[in-house]
Amino acid sequence: MEKRKGLLAVSLVMVSLFLQTQFLFGKELSKIFLEEVLSVGSMDDDALFQWVGVVTDLNYIYVTDAMDYSLKKFDTKGNLLKKTGRKGQGPGEFLAPRLLDSSDQLLYVTDQYIPGIHVFDRDLEFRHKIPLIMLVGDLKVISDKQIAVVTFAYGQIGKIFFYDDKGKVIREFDYSTKKSSLLMDSISFDIDFHGNIYLAYNFQDKIEKFDAEGRKLWSQELLRIGRVKRKKIASMVVPTKIVYKDVVLDTSGKLFVLGGNLSKNPSRDVYVLSQKGEHLTTFTLPETSHCIYIDGQDYLYSRANDGVTLKKYRMKAVNK
Amino acid sequence: MIFQKNKVTKKIAFILVIFTIFISLGAVSLEAGGCEKAFFRCFDDPYWRAAPFGIIYCATGYLFCKKYIEG
């Protein structure tokens, strides 16, 4: 009798653990619906002209505006509070402001044509510039003392560099050891709290996860398209279709990947993957976007009106 | 009326900005293959050919064009 009770208790614990695992890793996730909760900028106002990068905290939304050569700060209702920057190459000036990320205190901004990273405080005051020799392809701020960067440079292709706040390389990580052309190995990436690195190739059907020590944990091809078409332009062979545009993690560790030209709904399909690389579901953005961003409350941000509008959505998950 | 004016101004401004990006990359239109044409002209431009790492600038422009402008 006692033995039976023990077995029953063990079984109940196991079932409970199994159900929790299913919930945590979202294996049973079947659909995600988007509900718009905020729209910033429209054709009727001058809030945004061509936004590129976005990052948020509990009280504010920060955006780089390429056409306005600026970094902008909005409240959570979408009111423009402040902007900084102008056209130029001096401190706090931009030629083409692009990527944006943040630490607890500071904002980090890249420029398409100026190597290095501009650092601002949350009141948009320019603090300093992290001097890098090469242009930045993607970045992830781990802390104010450690910034992960993919650069565009021959000899540095297939690597993520970890810089300190002075621009000194702390460590580097090879995600590709093959000798590819300049663009073929370009990626978007994200890093979780454990240091695991998730990356999506821009011109290859490849999404991968590496652990903090640089061991590849899995590699996934979602579209099964084989090799992307290439074209010889001048003396260089370049890929002509973008496969994945952006990759970002939500707070539970699910991976969201924005598809490019080759998706069923180009630049609108978002693929959701589990921590183990299983494809959980796909949902479609209302409009094409160049990037996606997920904040600390799991709201999703994307583009509308070709960059004049920033949309914020609540993600409603439906489980099987 | 003011809103209508803003809308028109913004539309014109947006078209100008896209056009400026392409001009800076050396493109002439937003037709299919626009990013390739822009890349070709950038690559062919004596300024960028002479510039150190000029090809890198052309390649980053091409990637941005593919991500941002081509749907």
Side-chain angles (χ1 to χ4, degrees):
Chain A
M1 190 65 181
E2 285 302 311
K3 205 174 174 184
R4 272 190 186 177
K5 273 185 181 173
L7 274 172
L8 185 67
V10 169
S11 305
L12 281 172
V13 168
M14 285 180 76
V15 167
S16 160
L17 280 172
F18 176 75
L19 288 173
Q20 279 182 39
T21 309
Q22 294 295 300
F23 177 73
L24 283 172
F25 294 103
K27 275 184 182 174
E28 296 297 308
L29 183 69
S30 60
K31 267 188 176 175
I32 289 179
F33 295 98
L34 299 178
E35 179 196 350
E36 186 183 317
V37 293
L38 180 69
S39 180
V40 183
S42 72
M43 302 301 265
D44 300 328
D45 62 44
D46 295 333
L48 289 169
F49 293 93
Q50 189 192 36
W51 76 266
V52 182
V54 60
V55 72
T56 66
D57 56 28
L58 277 176
N59 302 312
Y60 304 107
I61 301 166
Y62 307 89
V63 180
T64 50
D65 193 334
M67 188 178 155
D68 213 14
Y69 305 97
S70 62
L71 172 64
K72 293 176 173 174
K73 180 177 179 177
F74 296 88
D75 66 17
T76 49
K77 289 180 178 171
N79 300 306
L80 179 63
L81 301 176
K82 192 175 179 182
K83 75 169 184 174
T84 187
R86 60 180 179 180
K87 190 177 181 183
Q89 297 189 57
E93 295 177 338
F94 304 108
L95 290 179
R98 295 282 184 262
L99 304 164
L100 177 60
D101 200 7
S102 66
S103 63
D104 289 340
Q105 304 294 327
L106 302 170
L107 303 170
Y108 295 77
V109 185
T110 70
D111 191 295
Q112 186 174 317
Y113 297 117
I114 306 172
I117 303 168
H118 294 264
V119 184
F120 295 83
D121 65 22
R122 288 184 183 259
D123 286 326
L124 308 193
E125 296 298 326
F126 178 77
R127 287 292 188 87
H128 65 278
K129 188 176 170 186
I130 300 174
L132 304 180
I133 302 165
M134 301 311 303
L135 297 170
V136 176
D138 198 8
L139 92 160
K140 172 75 184 172
V141 176
I142 297 160
S143 72
D144 288 327
K145 298 285 178 196
Q146 193 175 181
I147 299 117
V149 167
V150 174
T151 60
F152 278 104
Y154 288 112
Q156 300 187 347
I157 298 165
K159 290 174 189 286
I160 295 175
F161 292 91
F162 294 79
Y163 291 97
D164 67 10
D165 57 342
K166 306 280 186 300
K168 187 183 162 198
V169 177
I170 305 168
R171 65 185 173 105
E172 58 184 72
F173 153 68
D174 290 284
Y175 61 85
S176 173
T177 48
K178 275 196 301 182
K179 282 192 174 177
S180 299
S181 65
L182 187 61
L183 286 162
M184 285 307 293
D185 273 341
S186 72
I187 56 160
S188 296
F189 72 97
D190 202 354
I191 301 176
D192 68 17
F193 291 115
H194 304 292
N196 296 310
I197 299 168
Y198 305 79
L199 49 93
Y201 283 73
N202 298 136
F203 294 104
Q204 294 184 53
D205 183 8
K206 199 156 56 171
I207 302 163
E208 296 184 326
K209 178 180 179 180
F210 294 83
D211 67 15
E213 280 73 49
R215 288 183 291 258
K216 190 188 287 184
L217 300 179
W218 52 258
S219 184
Q220 178 71 275
E221 290 175 33
L222 289 181
L223 303 180
R224 306 204 176 276
I225 47 167
R227 209 174 176 195
V228 174
K229 216 190 256 183
R230 301 171 203 205
K231 194 174 176 182
K232 192 170 182 182
I233 300 174
S235 60
M236 198 173 164
V237 177
V238 295
T240 55
K241 298 286 179 193
I242 198 153
V243 185
Y244 301 117
K245 286 188 165 186
D246 202 5
V247 59
V248 66
L249 291 158
D250 73 359
T251 56
S252 69
K254 285 195 288 293
L255 191 64
F256 290 68
V257 183
L258 175 63
N261 306 135
L262 298 168
S263 293
K264 188 179 170 193
N265 300 289
S267 302
R268 290 173 59 210
D269 283 346
V270 179
Y271 309 100
V272 186
L273 279 72
S274 73
Q275 281 280 304
K276 292 177 180 173
E278 299 153 314
H279 179 216
L280 302 172
T281 189
T282 301
F283 65 93
T284 305
L285 299 172
E287 292 193 48
T288 61
S289 189
H290 61 285
C291 75
I292 47 173
Y293 172 78
I294 296 176
D295 69 14
Q297 287 77 50
D298 283 338
Y299 287 99
L300 179 121
Y301 297 72
S302 67
R303 188 178 86 178
N305 291 328
D306 297 321
V308 175
T309 305
L310 170 72
K311 295 276 186 185
K312 176 181 177 181
Y313 300 99
R314 179 179 290 116
M315 289 192 281
K316 289 181 169 178
V318 176
N319 295 308
K320 276 178 189 168
Chain B
M1 186 65 185
I2 292 167
F3 274 153
Q4 194 63 32
K5 197 178 173 185
N6 265 345
K7 196 174 177 177
V8 171
T9 311
K10 202 153 189 177
K11 269 185 180 170
I12 293 167
F14 182 74
I15 290 164
L16 278 175
V17 125
I18 296 293
F19 192 70
T20 307
I21 288 168
F22 270 78
I23 290 293
S24 67
L25 290 170
V28 289
S29 72
L30 287 173
E31 69 197 41
C35 295
E36 283 80 8
K37 284 179 186 173
F39 185 76
F40 175 80
R41 295 199 182 182
C42 179
F43 201 82
D44 208 37
D45 188 318
Y47 174 79
W48 290 112
R49 267 193 300 185
F53 310 116
I55 183 64
I56 304 284
Y57 285 82
C58 295
T60 55
Y62 181 74
L63 179 60
F64 179 73
C65 182
K66 282 284 173 189
K67 268 190 178 180
Y68 204 100
I69 294 164
E70 275 193 7

